[in-house]
Amino acid sequence: MTDGEQHPGERHDADHDARPDARPDARYDEEENAPLGGYAALTSTFAASAAIFAATAWRRGVRLPDTVPAWDVALLGVATFKASRLLTKDKVTSFLRAPFTRRERESNANEVMDAPRGDGLRRAVGDLVSCPFCTSAWVAGGLVGTYAVAPRAARLVCAGLSAVVVSDWLQYAWSVTEQKAEE
């Protein structure tokens, strides 16, 4: 075939060649700094942890529940929410995030806003530990694993974290009431 001829299975059209993602050197993100290798390492760690847990539970004869009552799902959800916020936004847990993040600012409710720092795996971990949505999958995995092998202990931990959520809401309500009274 000569230049300009189309090879079998090859797509040649002006729109395709003009798209930035059609270039062989196109990057995943615009800033070319997404730590994809770090994300892959974290995802592999999560998947391997789940597989090890499942294999260990199977070898030890742990009988997993046939169903999970709606109340337990709600309790696990609220606990996952609170634990994720504590790990990613609380001032007191900033020592856990400090090697991977930098403080950007403080926000309402005594929470902090951290930004990831570094490159590669360090940056990927920084993304994980500064994002409550991202961290929630890991927290839920731990809580569900605990629920599978020790449901009573898991419920107790979840009840404690849920109590903190109720307390937070009461603190917010008290603050609003105080502000209204001072006006």
Side-chain angles (χ1 to χ4, degrees):
M1 292 188 178
T2 61
D3 282 357
E5 289 184 38
Q6 188 170 351
H7 295 269
E10 188 177 353
R11 183 176 161 193
H12 277 285
D13 60 58
D15 289 341
H16 175 74
D17 292 336
R19 289 192 341 240
D21 63 344
R23 297 186 331 262
D25 66 337
R27 297 288 184 192
Y28 175 73
D29 66 349
E30 301 250 343
E31 297 157 10
E32 300 182 15
N33 64 358
L36 298 180
Y39 294 158
L42 289 173
T43 302
S44 298
T45 300
F46 185 88
S49 298
I52 290 168
F53 169 80
T56 303
W58 178 75
R59 287 189 70 202
R60 292 187 176 176
V62 173
R63 188 172 184 283
L64 299 177
D66 292 328
T67 62
V68 178
W71 174 253
D72 285 348
V73 172
L75 198 59
L76 286 161
V78 172
T80 296
F81 162 79
K82 188 58 188 177
S84 298
R85 302 250 3 136
L86 286 171
L87 290 170
T88 61
K89 299 294 182 186
D90 198 83
K91 283 182 184 179
V92 176
T93 58
S94 61
F95 73 96
L96 297 169
R97 299 185 303 274
F100 311 101
T101 63
R102 69 181 181 288
R103 176 77 41 87
E104 284 203 328
R105 64 181 165 77
E106 293 190 21
S107 65
N108 297 335
N110 237 6
E111 289 188 336
V112 296
M113 300 299 294
D114 290 344
R117 64 172 156 176
D119 296 314
L121 184 58
R122 182 181 189 195
R123 167 70 187 273
V125 173
D127 284 336
L128 175 66
V129 299
S130 63
C131 170
F133 295 97
C134 307
T135 301
S136 66
W138 292 71
V139 170
L143 290 173
V144 167
T146 303
Y147 181 85
V149 297
R152 291 178 66 185
R155 283 187 196 102
L156 184 62
V157 169
C158 290
L161 288 165
S162 297
V164 176
V165 171
V166 171
S167 173
D168 288 349
W169 281 100
L170 291 171
Q171 296 291 350
Y172 290 129
W174 180 260
S175 296
V176 168
T177 303
E178 265 188 330
Q179 288 171 356
K180 296 275 187 200
E182 291 175 2
E183 291 177 0

